[in-house]
Amino acid sequence: MSLSPFETLLAVHECTALMHEYGYRFDHGAGVTVADLFVEDGEWSSPAVTCRGRDELIAFFRLRDEMTDRMTRHVVSNITVEVRSAERATARSIAIEFRGTRGPDGLAAETSPALVGDYEDEFVRVDGRWKFRRRNVVIDFKRSGEVYLRASS
Amino acid sequence: MSLSPFETLLAVHECTALMHEYGYRFDHGAGVTVADLFVEDGEWSSPAVTCRGRDELIAFFRLRDEMTDRMTRHVVSNITVEVRSAERATARSIAIEFRGTRGPDGLAAETSPALVGDYEDEFVRVDGRWKFRRRNVVIDFKRSGEVYLRASS
Amino acid sequence: MSLSPFETLLAVHECTALMHEYGYRFDHGAGVTVADLFVEDGEWSSPAVTCRGRDELIAFFRLRDEMTDRMTRHVVSNITVEVRSAERATARSIAIEFRGTRGPDGLAAETSPALVGDYEDEFVRVDGRWKFRRRNVVIDFKRSGEVYLRASS
């Protein structure tokens, strides 16, 4: 069953909204709930970490929320979504993370990005909602002195 | 009366275009006309300033145009528009302002953003056109030495 | 023959995808194939270079691929596409180029953009596909020490 042009455009819009929601939650103190944007056996990977399944995602994303002095903005740009079927889509995009430490005035002063790279995404539609099946983060630029978030050991 | 999926998508597109127009005018010497993108009793606020109504908006936005050596790009990313009805919508997005001073070669050399934060927007549709009812600028990152634009006193 | 609102939205989406494809190819080692995104007599211009026609575009874009230690991300934001007819469209957008040199760890450390400016685009639809007829790159911000890519002499 092939999608109509309008159904395709709507799927693109919904996957894009999911990508924005991912960043918004991390940037506004709700990183742990990002796990809900993944399917049960969803996967998140970066050069430093691979997490599989809801429990691992929750444990890892929670680490972000615990860094209460850290400010971030997860900018996603150049989003290209390929809708494969009514239930499957993939996307590539440019990932830019602003990251800084809250200063005495409540603001972070580090305005050059900490990380620049790509997101490589796979989506599935479950019960009428698009979710991440897999998000891989490719890093090509890293600000001097920055370290990746790693699972606690 | 509820909107069809297509009407919703169209409203999202039009509100997004309005957000781009806002930046384009500030960045290309027509900041004073940004007031036309707001309804008569529209409001613009930042950590330093609140302007209400067309006259206050014009007086404040004009200040930008007077800084003729300043170059800016008002980047807006991660736009999520929620269409509430045929006449009301809200949006959140990431705001990144590049800001520099034109040098002897005509170019600005400051390429790390001056400000990074969010836009929080309310839109209304008047006579078939979406306009800002309220735009609030949240700042979380500020480049060292930058100051907010303030109303003249 | 005027376009329906849906046909217009679809054209906007396709031109936007073309703009993303342009960046993706440059950033992932396939710069020479960017020429295929232009019509036969297409034109690309910047403050330093003007290239006209497929052969000149190929010769110029190939230079990027030869800089194998260079990493880039061509971010395009604030895209506003004006669809003029079923076969013609224009767009303006903000251009941000991240550019760095791969270090010993495989990553570039320069995370402030090298260049910030605008893209000014003209598109035509040929055989059912949108292509660039002309892309002009406006530069307003240039990181200290950066130079423009120039045609070899």
Side-chain angles (χ1 to χ4, degrees), chain B residues 1 3 15 18 25-26 28 47 51 62 74 88-89 95 106 121 134 143 147:
Chain B
M1 188 199 68
L3 292 174
C15 290
L18 181 72
R25 294 186 181 192
F26 273 123
H28 295 273
C51 298
R62 188 191 303 280
H74 285 76
R88 287 191 59 251
D121 293 320
R134 179 160 188 271
R143 190 170 59 193
V147 294

Side-chain angles (χ1 to χ4, degrees), chain A residues 20-21 28 73-74 76 108 111, chain B residues 78-79 92 113 118 140 142:
Chain A
H20 293 166
E21 183 69 19
H28 294 274
R73 283 299 182 282
H74 285 76
V76 53
T111 64
Chain B
N78 295 41
I79 297 174
R92 58 190 195 200
D118 299 311
D140 270 358
K142 189 162 72 70

